Amino acid sequence: MTHRESTSTPDKLMRPEPARFKDAVYFWFKLGFISFGGPAGQISIMHQELVENRHWISERRFLHALNYCMLLPGPEAQQLAIYIGWLLHKTWGGIIAGVLFVLPSLFILIMLSWIYLALGDLPWVAGLFYGIKPAVTAIVMQAAYRIGSRTLKNGVLWAIAAASFVAIFALNVPFPTIVAGAALIGLLGSRIMPVKFKTGGHGSSVKSYGPAVIDDDTPRLDHTHFRWPRLFGLVMIGAALWLIPMAALTINYGWSHALTQMGWFFTKAALLTFGGAYAVLPYVYQGAVENYHWLVPQQMIDGLALGETTPGPLIMVVAFVGFVAGWSQALLGTDHLLLAGMVAATVVTYFTFLPSFLFILAGGPLVESTHGNLKFTAPLTAITAAVVGVVLNLALFFAWHVLWPQGFEGQFDFMAAVICVIALLALFRYQIGVIQMIAASGITGLLFTLIKTAG
């Protein structure tokens, strides 16, 4: 029983049966519909189901995979699903896990985006969003606090967070530049003052839930061994999967067309945004709102509200951005607004998530050779510290547009401020869930709007 929990029951001492492919497909399909709560909630669901209940993977192997996914740009929860799916059932297992993780949320967001644009002028819809926007502001504030409390353990990391806030708030430095600068600081800091950058990663205390299909002592499976021909083949396939649709968009519409630029912009977003969904949002805002003018600031806030209330990774808000851009700019003509929105949402989702599959399928074999020895986390720690400042800037941006909808020269929205304060209390003091809090805020906004209209 060494290194095992003494509470293990006798039936757990038997190695569980290997996970059947159809059972895994069913689980990933179900996960796509129940994965609420952002990355933390999604990772928690996978841990409970795969580690504690089904025993498909051990605690240590689960955390080992998660540490690698945290080092990557993009949605770590979806990447973790791809990694475990790949471990269990090779390449197709990873592909199916990753696709089913995001597909339900894509369909749901397309439907909600259509309702938002087609019926958004109705009083009851406007009232719901009036209450939801302050709640979203509170959620982003909580995200800044949550990331900061977990990351900023010393003065050096606090300084990085403060510098990133000043850079994006006062100097309008592009987000990729901030990420690159933070990574460089982390790389140098790991050599000069390594103790200051030892806060990243998971799994300092590992427990066991009994034998697992993929356990700590499970021999390396054949498909997890690193092979140069396999890596070369994956790189070539990945390049083709990116180049062929990008070339098709360029040939059919031209490089400057919005659809082509969406493919290029969201490829960069997928490759350059470390630190989770809230780190991606400032970059998406800078590009979609300020540079390309695909949507206006209020629509960005509404999109985040829809993203928070649907399953799947929060970064799926990019599908809303694409749908609104395709619809509002009539990219396929005024007679095909819905089709334009659906095409744009699909294009954006494809280019955003494609790199995640390549990172896992190409890097997984390398990671599988480093059990208990995953290093190079200092750049991640520095980047995460910088993300705190960036997310704080995003919270202030949302607060500005919600509390002063006509700008500072306009009137302060007192009721929106009240909803925001109550939402903050619900999140921080009473630990109310995000979905319940957004629902209550939306109903409050609806009632206030109806009473105001009736009066």
Side-chain angles (χ1 to χ4, degrees), residues 62 141 143 162 252 301 314 366 389:
F62 182 91
M141 290 180 180
N252 286 311
I301 302 174
L314 180 58
L366 290 172

Side-chain angles (χ1 to χ4, degrees), residues 28-377:
W28 299 122
F29 179 76
K30 182 180 76 171
L31 181 66
F33 285 96
I34 65 173
S35 56
F36 292 93
Q42 293 152 4
I43 292 169
S44 176
I45 292 172
M46 281 190 281
H47 184 276
Q48 182 177 3
E49 286 289 327
L50 300 178
V51 178
E52 300 178 37
N53 297 342
R54 300 172 187 259
H55 304 284
W56 285 354
I57 186 170
S58 71
E59 171 87 347
R60 189 180 297 275
R61 298 289 291 271
F62 182 91
L63 294 176
H64 184 70
L66 177 57
N67 280 335
Y68 172 58
C69 296
M70 285 186 63
L71 290 170
L72 301 173
E76 64 264 31
Q78 189 235 9
Q79 290 165 346
L80 180 61
I82 298 172
Y83 196 110
I84 296 175
W86 167 74
L87 275 180
L88 291 169
H89 296 109
K90 305 181 181 180
T91 299
W92 276 110
I95 292 173
I96 289 174
V99 169
L100 293 181
F101 194 86
V102 301
L103 203 58
S105 58
L106 173 61
F107 291 141
I108 293 171
L109 269 174
I110 285 176
M111 180 186 68
L112 292 177
S113 300
W114 173 77
I115 293 173
Y116 171 80
L117 289 172
L119 307 175
D121 293 333
L122 296 178
W124 67 271
V125 177
L128 285 173
F129 276 97
Y130 175 81
I132 289 173
K133 289 174 185 177
V136 169
T137 303
I139 291 170
V140 179
M141 290 180 180
Q142 185 203 33
Y145 171 80
R146 188 173 61 244
I147 299 171
S149 63
R150 187 178 67 238
T151 305
L152 307 182
K153 302 298 185 181
N154 56 65
V156 172
L157 298 179
W158 273 99
I160 294 173
S164 74
F165 174 77
V166 172
I168 197 167
F169 180 80
L171 305 178
N172 201 29
V173 176
F175 183 72
T177 303
I178 295 174
V179 168
L184 180 60
I185 292 172
L187 186 62
L188 297 175
S190 65
R191 301 178 181 181
I192 300 172
M193 51 181 84
V195 70
K196 300 293 186 180
F197 293 88
K198 287 186 177 180
T199 59
H202 289 265
S204 57
S205 176
V206 178
K207 64 182 294 187
S208 172
Y209 294 90
V213 175
I214 299 177
D215 215 332
D216 300 347
D217 57 355
T218 301
R220 289 280 300 276
L221 301 172
D222 183 65
H223 70 278
T224 66
H225 287 277
F226 176 78
R227 297 181 178 89
W228 280 108
R230 179 182 181 277
L231 177 61
F232 180 77
L234 280 172
V235 171
M236 291 296 99
I237 293 172
L241 290 174
W242 182 86
L243 187 60
I244 291 173
M246 181 60 71
L249 290 172
T250 304
I251 292 171
N252 286 311
Y253 300 106
W255 177 252
S256 60
H257 191 271
L259 283 175
T260 311
Q261 286 300 302
M262 285 179 195
W264 175 237
F265 173 74
F266 285 99
T267 296
K268 292 186 292 181
L271 295 174
L272 298 175
T273 46
F274 297 80
Y278 285 103
V280 182
L281 292 174
Y283 181 59
V284 172
Y285 164 73
Q286 278 187 331
V289 177
E290 294 183 346
N291 297 338
Y292 292 103
H293 307 290
W294 290 330
L295 68 172
V296 299
Q298 292 293 342
Q299 290 174 326
M300 188 72 189
I301 302 174
D302 295 340
L304 182 55
L306 292 178
E308 287 280 7
T309 55
T310 54
L314 180 58
I315 191 53
M316 279 302 298
V317 68
V318 301
F320 173 85
V321 172
F323 190 97
V324 171
W327 177 294
S328 60
Q329 298 191 19
L331 296 182
L332 300 180
T334 55
D335 294 332
H336 304 286
L337 298 182
L338 176 59
L339 179 61
M342 294 172 63
V343 169
T346 304
V347 166
V348 164
T349 302
Y350 178 84
F351 284 102
T352 298
F353 286 96
L354 176 63
S356 291
F357 290 90
L358 301 177
F359 286 143
I360 300 302
L361 298 178
L366 290 172
V367 178
E368 281 300 296
S369 65
T370 61
H371 294 312
N373 193 33
L374 188 62
K375 297 180 180 178
F376 310 113
T377 58

